[in-house]
Amino acid sequence: MNIQVFDSQEQLDEAAAQYLIDTVTQKPEAVLGLATGSTPIGIYNKLVEKHQRQGVSFRHITSFNLDEYVGLTADHKQSYAFYMQEHLFRHIDVSANQINLPNGMAESLEEECKRYNQLLEKHPIDVQLLGLGHNGHIGFNEPADALTGGTHIVELQEKTREANARFFNSKDEVPEKAVTMGVGSILKAKTIILAVRGADKADIVREALFGPITTQCPASLLQTHHNVIVLLDREAGRGLKLQ
Ligand code: F6R
């Protein structure tokens, strides 16, 4: 694993954005796997800035988001579809037919998972951006005795709903289920960028990167991938001996 620790959040955002831009510059029709949550916001700000100031173009990319809550419409302020428009898509040169998110409002969620898996098979991901949950989740693949390879419906753990309650008026409003890309699809990406910040993630970072590979810490499966770039701020990396 290529692990890089940055002194500031700004530097981390810049490095992650630069990886994505390098990918798009070398391959304008790149397929990008995107994440939501608080970690990527600064990274997306950098992409928007580089699009506006340096003319970096996303006109030919295809994007796939990791996950979406079940039961939230795309115009719900806490849906990931809304988040992506707010933080990235509406500020850059992508059109609706280039972007893909699971539809958490689909009449048949089972069919929706199949549809998403078929799309992912047709469009192998060049770079997948990931954040890390406090419980070791990636996407919404929560710790469990067994994990699922493809896109599937997941019951969110209490810890995850509590962590995400900060975006809602209360924890009760956080949906109980989500549609998520599976770990199999994530691990098929040619390159994976795992971005993590904050002292509260230091323990899980150490466990994920250097602990046993176990479904109880889904991010530990990243240890089996040949091309993972880990970008940490100093606080998230403080449990590691590299510094
Ligand atoms: C979001 C996602 C989640 C988050 C994780 C960390 O699309 O897939 O796995 O990356 O929950 O979230 P933050 O960045 O808010 O700490």
Side-chain angles (χ1 to χ4, degrees), residues 35-40 66-67 80 131-133 137-140 166 201:
T36 57
S38 49
T39 311
L66 282 167
D67 40 21
Y80 288 162
L132 177 66
H137 74 212
I138 46 176
F140 272 140
R166 67 192 193 279
K201 300 263 180 83

Side-chain angles (χ1 to χ4, degrees), residues 34-41 44 65-68 80 83-84 128-142 160 163-164 166-167 180 186 194-197 200-201:
L34 300 175
T36 57
S38 49
T39 311
I41 293 176
Y44 295 151
N65 264 80
L66 282 167
D67 40 21
E68 179 60 285
Y80 288 162
Y83 168 110
M84 289 307 299
Q128 175 67 56
L129 179 62
L130 293 179
L132 177 66
H134 290 98
N135 59 2
H137 74 212
I138 46 176
F140 272 140
N141 293 279
E142 301 280 40
T160 300
N164 289 3
R166 67 192 193 279
F167 301 115
T180 184
I186 293 172
L194 176 69
V196 195
R197 62 188 174 96
D200 53 323
K201 300 263 180 83

